Amino acid sequence: MMAPNLRKRIWQHKIFYLFMLPGIVWFFIFSYVPLFGIQVAFRDYTFSGGFTGSPWAGLKYFQQFFDYYKSAEIIRNTIIISFMKLAVGFLMPIILAILLNEVRSLKFKKTVQTLSYLPHFVSWIVVVTLMQRLLTPYGGPVNDLLGVFGVQPIQFLYNTSWFYQVILGSDIWKNIGWNSIIYMAAIAGVDQQLYEAAKIDGANRFRQIWHVTLPGVRNIAIILFILSIGSLMSAGYEQLLLLNGPATAGIGSVLDVHVITSGISEGRLSYAAAVGLFQSIIGLILILTVNRIARKVSDVSLF
Amino acid sequence: MKRKVSIFNLINYCVLALVGFSMIYPFIYILAYSLNDGKDSMLGALYFLPRKFTWDNYAQVFDNARIWQAYKITLMRTILGTFLHVVLCSLLAYALSKKSLPGRSFFAFYIFLPTIFSAGFIPYFITLQKLHLINSFWVYVIPMLFNFMHVVIIRTFLQGIPAELEESARIDGYGDFQIFLRIILPLSGPVLATISLFIGVAHWNDWFTGAYYVSDKNLIPVQTLLQQMLSQAEALSSSMARSAQQGGQTISASAQGSTPESLRMALLVVTVFPILCIYPFLQRYFVKGVMIGSVKG
């Protein structure tokens, strides 16, 4: 039996439970029901059977994925692309924040900041459309600029030799400004007296950055690093759905896109669910491992 | 020492100016392209300003029934989706900000747990299917009603509102709902503006839902329309540009009119423009929102 005290408190708060009700129902339907539905990866899914009525299939679909002659390639591509994005995409915002912090003119700083947030607010469709226009070898401004330096027009998009550069470049362009916000905030929180002290000790600009600014962003950088490790098995499906074509499939096919095309476009739902589950589990293991390492090495961790 | 610092400054200003320029230039370029005569643009060498100025591309974009329909869908989902999202998330956040609420930490954990381990696309897709949301307008609105991060951001903000305000309102005879409506909501302007921007942009920019969960042509938003034009455009523009460059010099002087590419650029400007107008004014709010979001996450 509940203590009458608690029952009274619950009754007093009845209106707040009412406020929460839509949220509780929504999270149940859109987060917990799909979690429960993971079992389709182990079943031969049929529409009439649903999550629980379809016949069991064991590990058949996992087997199918690992037997697929391209599965190793897909896993490799996913890791290469997301690792590149992690290495470069993680450092770039920190560098931008540090450079911006060294600017004395407030107006200039504000302008660059505002401009750098801009690409975050447009969709990947817009980004890719812009790239098609700007990078086209047929009279596009980028190739015209390169032409001034005597470079022959380059087919940048859907071309294996430029694929990684295009993926990485567009990812940085879209996210660098937005991701630097948090570092700007961390730097703003650094005690100004530390800079004064460093100056008195004779530290120049670079040493001030190294000894004062960088330690100031260390904790937040570690946390964001752990978070991005968790998504190492997903390479960014929106970007890759749009930027990967038949010509670059050998180095551009990744897990997320494979799940979407085999599942939603081709209707092989159980197979795609198995691939997706494999991806989620590896992601979870990675994030737990890195979190543990970070806690041991640096005392900073997510949970 | 003094000289070295100024060299550092010089390089730094140059690099940052280049970064800023690279962020805005693509938009300047498509603006010029969309305001230039379509056939003339194919000759290339168009960089900052239109050469043969015309409103023609925009006139045609606004004349196209399919584009109007898509724009209407985008507007409807953005307005409805943003409004419902902000109202429902702030109700949930308000309840979760009550320290005295029995079971508060349980419910906070309940909405947090799915962010650690997601079920993936397919179980989610099947859920949408079973709810008959596939190929319905509501697939744009209902699955985006809540977002864990947004709830956390609002809750953190609400916890900063002094409790005395609520107490004095209670003494004045306000009920819980009245307090929410008359005290909490009016004070939450900045955080609600931030969340509206986040979710509004997400709605405005979402092309994936339209492309994979909807097949009815009349239900497709602008972004999905742009996506459908992507693959066709690449082939079309390169073949046209080639012919324009080969035999174009003689024809080009007289050739006028829109091309699929110039129409696409006009559509792109129409799609991007509303966001570009709004976000600089909300900057100081969303910067705070991002900070709360990543610190609490």
Side-chain angles (χ1 to χ4, degrees):
Chain A
M1 282 309 292
M2 252 189 273
N5 196 7
L6 180 64
R7 206 182 306 166
K8 199 176 151 207
R9 262 177 63 213
I10 290 176
W11 184 245
Q12 274 173 350
H13 286 88
K14 58 184 181 300
I15 188 124
F16 296 106
Y17 293 108
L18 194 67
F19 287 172
M20 282 201 297
L21 190 66
I24 290 168
V25 172
W26 186 91
F27 276 94
F28 182 77
I29 294 173
F30 290 98
S31 298
Y32 287 93
V33 169
L35 277 177
F36 176 73
I38 283 178
Q39 53 182 296
V40 297
F42 305 96
R43 290 177 184 271
D44 281 316
Y45 178 76
T46 58
F47 186 74
S48 55
F51 285 148
T52 51
S54 307
W56 287 105
L59 295 175
K60 182 170 111 189
Y61 290 105
F62 292 89
Q63 189 67 40
Q64 220 175 73
F65 174 60
F66 290 112
D67 286 346
Y68 179 46
Y69 74 106
K70 279 185 179 160
S71 60
E73 184 182 286
I74 290 174
I75 294 172
R76 190 201 63 200
N77 292 341
T78 311
I79 293 174
I80 290 178
I81 291 174
S82 53
F83 201 80
M84 277 189 335
K85 280 189 186 174
L86 180 65
V88 184
F90 174 74
L91 284 177
M92 283 304 194
I94 302 181
I95 294 173
L96 178 66
I98 289 173
L99 291 184
L100 278 170
N101 185 52
E102 295 298 318
V103 169
R104 291 285 166 267
S105 156
L106 222 71
K107 212 171 171 189
F108 180 80
K109 185 170 156 182
K110 202 95 206 128
T111 310
V112 174
Q113 267 181 295
T114 307
L115 289 177
S116 73
Y117 302 152
L118 202 157
H120 176 81
F121 291 100
V122 301
S123 68
W124 269 112
I125 293 291
V126 170
V127 176
V128 175
T129 310
L130 287 174
M131 287 164 73
Q132 273 192 352
R133 219 21 276 149
L134 288 156
L135 299 177
T136 175
Y138 312 105
V142 172
N143 270 309
D144 280 2
L145 180 66
L146 290 174
V148 173
F149 301 102
V151 182
Q152 288 299 307
I154 299 168
Q155 172 72 46
F156 285 102
L157 296 180
Y158 312 108
N159 176 355
T160 35
S161 35
W162 285 91
F163 182 71
Y164 288 136
Q165 289 90 323
V166 163
I167 293 287
L168 207 56
S170 55
D171 188 57
I172 292 171
W173 184 76
K174 195 169 189 313
N175 295 319
I176 184 171
W178 187 257
N179 291 347
S180 72
I181 291 180
I182 185 69
Y183 296 109
M184 289 297 292
I187 291 174
V190 173
D191 191 348
Q192 287 303 312
Q193 290 179 350
L194 288 176
Y195 287 105
E196 298 301 326
K199 258 182 228 161
I200 291 164
D201 287 346
N204 62 22
R205 286 287 268 285
F206 294 102
R207 295 195 72 92
Q208 283 174 37
I209 292 174
W210 185 257
H211 290 290
V212 182
T213 312
L214 276 179
V217 301
R218 175 178 163 273
N219 284 3
I220 194 76
I222 292 173
I223 286 182
L224 293 182
F225 187 78
I226 300 173
L227 280 174
S228 42
I229 287 281
S231 52
L232 200 60
M233 290 305 271
S234 51
Y237 65 91
E238 284 195 56
Q239 182 193 22
L240 283 151
L241 268 172
L242 299 171
L243 280 174
N244 183 27
T248 53
I251 57 172
S253 305
V254 295
L255 277 169
D256 335 35
V257 175
H258 186 55
V259 169
I260 293 167
T261 47
S262 63
I264 298 175
S265 309
E266 294 166 18
R268 297 158 65 200
L269 290 172
S270 284
Y271 169 77
V275 179
L277 180 57
F278 165 74
Q279 186 187 4
S280 294
I281 289 173
I282 302 281
L284 185 68
I285 293 172
L286 281 172
I287 199 166
L288 292 177
T289 315
V290 175
N291 188 55
R292 173 165 294 189
I293 295 172
R295 193 166 48 196
K296 276 213 178 110
V297 178
S298 67
D299 292 335
V300 183
S301 67
L302 270 183
F303 33 78
Chain B
M1 170 91 187
K2 190 94 185 139
R3 242 187 86 233
K4 201 172 159 197
V5 168
S6 64
I7 286 172
F8 174 85
N9 272 340
L10 188 70
I11 295 172
N12 192 15
Y13 275 83
C14 286
V15 168
L16 288 175
L18 207 64
V19 168
F21 178 75
S22 79
M23 299 288 165
I24 190 78
Y25 178 68
F27 299 99
I28 296 173
Y29 177 70
I30 56 156
L31 191 64
Y33 200 105
S34 68
L35 288 170
N36 196 44
D37 181 75
K39 294 226 169 65
D40 179 67
S41 301
M42 287 196 308
L43 298 170
L46 194 71
Y47 304 116
F48 290 96
L49 293 169
R51 193 163 41 208
K52 275 191 184 171
F53 182 86
T54 174
W55 288 108
D56 212 34
N57 300 314
Y58 288 96
Q60 287 201 41
V61 161
F62 286 120
D63 214 29
N64 184 319
R66 228 182 130 205
I67 293 177
W68 262 121
Q69 177 63 19
Y71 217 81
K72 213 172 80 190
I73 294 287
T74 299
L75 276 176
M76 271 164 54
R77 69 171 291 185
T78 305
I79 293 168
L80 191 67
T82 305
F83 175 74
L84 290 176
H85 179 92
V86 169
V87 169
L88 291 175
C89 282
S90 40
L91 279 173
L92 177 60
Y94 180 49
L96 288 175
S97 74
K98 283 273 153 232
K99 289 216 169 61
S100 55
L101 184 80
R104 183 177 88 120
S105 49
F106 167 77
F107 290 115
F109 184 72
Y110 171 84
I111 66 166
F112 162 71
L113 190 66
T115 58
I116 301 214
F117 188 82
S118 87
F121 274 108
I122 303 303
Y124 178 73
F125 174 69
I126 295 173
T127 309
L128 294 182
Q129 254 183 352
K130 292 285 173 196
L131 292 167
H132 300 287
L133 282 174
I134 299 296
N135 226 357
S136 131
F137 172 76
W138 295 102
V139 75
Y140 297 127
V141 178
I142 296 175
M144 286 171 79
L145 281 180
F146 285 92
N147 176 303
F148 168 73
M149 220 58 235
H150 295 175
V151 174
V152 170
I153 292 172
I154 301 174
R155 190 188 67 168
T156 309
F157 182 90
L158 294 182
Q159 281 169 343
I161 295 178
E164 293 81 39
L165 275 178
E166 273 188 48
E167 276 158 32
S168 62
R170 217 173 287 275
I171 292 167
D172 288 348
Y174 279 31
D176 287 312
F177 191 68
Q178 274 181 316
I179 290 177
F180 178 71
L181 221 58
R182 302 245 180 103
I183 311 282
I184 303 295
L185 277 187
L187 284 173
S188 312
V191 76
L192 298 187
T194 308
I195 301 300
S196 301
L197 177 74
F198 287 173
I199 191 70
V201 166
H203 271 292
W204 189 266
N205 283 342
D206 172 38
W207 60 277
F208 186 85
T209 312
Y212 286 90
Y213 302 150
V214 171
S215 54
D216 185 345
K217 281 202 174 66
N218 288 322
L219 282 179
I220 279 174
V222 177
Q223 300 279 348
T224 308
L225 200 63
L226 272 173
Q227 182 243 344
Q228 290 172 351
M229 292 172 159
L230 262 185
S231 44
Q232 307 157 7
E234 176 73 353
L236 206 63
S237 75
S238 60
S239 73
M240 282 198 310
R242 242 182 251 123
S243 61
Q245 279 178 341
Q246 283 159 6
Q249 260 69 11
T250 46
I251 313 164
S252 67
S254 59
Q256 272 191 355
S258 303
T259 60
E261 189 67 356
S262 68
L263 292 184
R264 202 158 68 109
M265 291 308 129
L267 179 59
L268 200 67
V269 173
V270 174
T271 316
V272 171
F273 197 68
I275 292 180
L276 297 198
C277 292
I278 293 173
Y279 93 92
F281 299 102
L282 293 171
Q283 192 172 329
R284 71 197 159 102
Y285 298 133
F286 68 65
V287 166
K288 255 185 212 140
V290 170
M291 280 155 54
I292 297 172
S294 38
V295 171
K296 292 282 162 174

